[in-house]
Amino acid sequence: MLPNPKPEIQNRIRLTAEEGAWLAGEAGPAIRRAMEIVAALAQIYGAERLTPVASVQISGVSYRNIGAAGLAFLRKWADEGASVRVPTTLNPAAMDLEAWAEQGFDPTFATQQQAVIAAFARMGVGGAGGESGPFPTCTPYLVGNVPRLGESVAWAESSAVAYANSVLGARTNREGGPGAIAAALVGRTGAYGLHLAENRRATLHVRVRVALRTISDYSALGALVGQRAGSRIPYFEGLPLERGAPLWEENLKALGAALAATGAVGVFHVAGVTPEALAGPVLAPAHETTTVADLAPGYAALTDAAARPALIWIGCPHASLAEIALVAELVRGKRLRLPLWITCARPVKAAAVAQGLAGDIAAAGGRLYADACLAIAPVRDLGFAAVMTPSAKGACYLRNLAGVSARFGTLEECIHMAVTGGE
Ligand code: F3S
């Protein structure tokens, strides 16, 4: 270990010789700045050391959110020759990087969004699973970036963080935008929070006493429990879920996304299903207990009843191939009166095209868009003042980030709305 060369980064954090050299600027200005960010965050959160990470997932990709200042920040780092040290993927952009014109995006906006992606590409940010990229997605674990049990990663997207920690048993805090970029450049993050086993025990025992039939039911459950949990760690008992059963991962994907949207939940455990709950007791001795016996308030709280949807959005978090197959099944042979957009990772779209699912959906009038997230898109400028979705997180963010009205319903209700147009 070296003495810390930066006086403002106190000696509380033990750095390795290599980390100390980076902080001293021996690997250039970009790495020095990245080390300063990583070490400063580690100190703020009380870490005693840094931990290597196996992969990084970066948020703050939409040009609508980061704007010209954010683009300049990324270009500066890329101009300095910064390059990621570990496999790194991107959260969604505002638009499909290829089909943006069909979506109705303004060419000026599209050019800036492409420039953001290009800056990340210059830093070596790629696709998941070793594929070339970048292809932005909030579900890197569906397309090859699957952290192992107990492995530390530095991911930024809250739903992906919940999935990695809970379903995969990997370890990550929710990284901020610049923090995640810095972590990618040095392959390190602070060893605090959910990287430490002692901080992963459940403090809220959730007794589920209601039937869960659909993926959106898990989403509604997550919305209700997220509100109650805040930043506590829920332990679910009573979920009708078996590891390996059809859609078990999709159900947990929806549950975790909603928990992280209405609360600040970074990890949850499910009795008999998630890896840490399977390995032994996960409930902390000091915990509270809550019971969920009705999902209706979860749906109602995220529905603007008077709003008439102009668009149906599926794929928040990005849809899996199995979810796209469900949609294809429901729309096959029908003619949709409202636009139906399904967002997913680019490789998932390619698989859906190859299997004919995209064709079935297109024949009904629906579209599959890769790379995109509507919550961070200028939805109103695209002509949609109200959107319906089977995702609690989607409804929550459509309201709070995109500034449009939302309706939250089951997948069947969403497709019914698309077919009838609400009449
Ligand atoms: Fe993904 Fe956007 Fe939903 S990032 S989880 S599609 S709000």
Side-chain angles (χ1 to χ4, degrees), residues 87-409:
T88 301
T89 57
L90 291 181
N91 220 26
M95 61 186 206
D96 187 311
L97 298 175
E98 293 176 3
W100 54 267
E102 182 187 284
Q103 285 184 290
F105 279 87
D106 173 76
T108 306
F109 180 93
T111 301
Q112 302 294 14
Q113 180 65 83
Q114 301 279 16
V116 170
I117 303 298
F120 279 120
R122 283 169 61 207
M123 286 190 262
V125 175
E131 296 181 52
S132 63
F135 52 79
T137 181
C138 48
T139 56
Y141 47 87
L142 292 182
V143 287
N145 186 356
V146 189
R148 291 197 298 269
L149 181 66
E151 190 168 64
S152 276
V153 297
W155 286 16
E157 155 57 32
S158 66
S159 68
V161 166
Y163 193 95
N165 277 317
S166 315
V167 183
L168 304 176
R171 298 183 176 188
T172 179
N173 294 311
R174 184 182 179 190
E175 299 280 346
I181 298 171
L185 297 180
V186 298
R188 309 276 198 285
T189 192
Y192 64 91
L194 295 178
H195 291 285
L196 306 179
E198 63 266 30
N199 296 330
R200 299 175 63 90
R201 303 197 66 182
T203 47
L204 182 65
H205 180 189
V206 184
R207 296 167 1 123
V208 179
R209 300 293 180 263
V210 61
L212 295 160
R213 297 190 178 86
T214 63
I215 299 172
S216 59
D217 282 353
Y218 281 83
S219 196
L221 174 67
L224 288 169
V225 175
Q227 280 177 335
R228 297 180 199 177
S231 60
R232 289 182 290 176
I233 298 176
Y235 168 71
F236 290 92
E237 163 262 309
L239 288 188
L241 199 61
E242 270 182 40
R243 203 175 168 84
L247 300 177
W248 76 281
E249 289 159 310
E250 283 77 4
N251 288 328
L252 293 182
K253 171 163 79 80
L255 176 65
L259 285 167
T262 64
V265 173
V267 60
F268 62 93
H269 305 288
V270 180
V273 178
T274 54
E276 283 159 270
L278 284 170
V282 287
L283 203 50
H287 64 264
E288 288 181 25
T289 299
T290 187
T291 300
V292 178
D294 185 8
L295 297 177
Y299 283 104
L302 292 167
T303 293
D304 301 307
R308 186 163 172 182
L311 170 73
I312 310 300
W313 175 34
I314 296 162
C316 171
H318 274 178
S320 69
L321 200 56
E323 290 176 287
I324 294 170
L326 283 179
V327 177
E329 184 68 34
L330 287 169
V331 304
R332 208 166 275 132
K334 299 199 170 87
R335 189 69 216 155
L336 306 181
R337 292 172 67 181
L338 292 181
L340 166 72
W341 289 5
I342 304 168
T343 47
C344 60
R346 186 158 291 281
V348 172
K349 179 177 175 180
V353 169
Q355 293 188 14
L357 301 171
D360 290 345
I361 291 167
R367 292 286 180 272
L368 241 58
Y369 290 120
D371 317 314
C373 164
L374 284 197
I376 50 169
V379 181
R380 207 173 271 278
D381 294 348
L382 296 174
F384 309 116
V387 180
M388 186 168 184
T389 174
S391 162
K393 174 172 180 175
C396 186
Y397 278 33
L398 281 165
R399 276 179 176 174
N400 298 339
L401 293 185
V404 298
S405 300
R407 268 199 194 203
F408 172 37

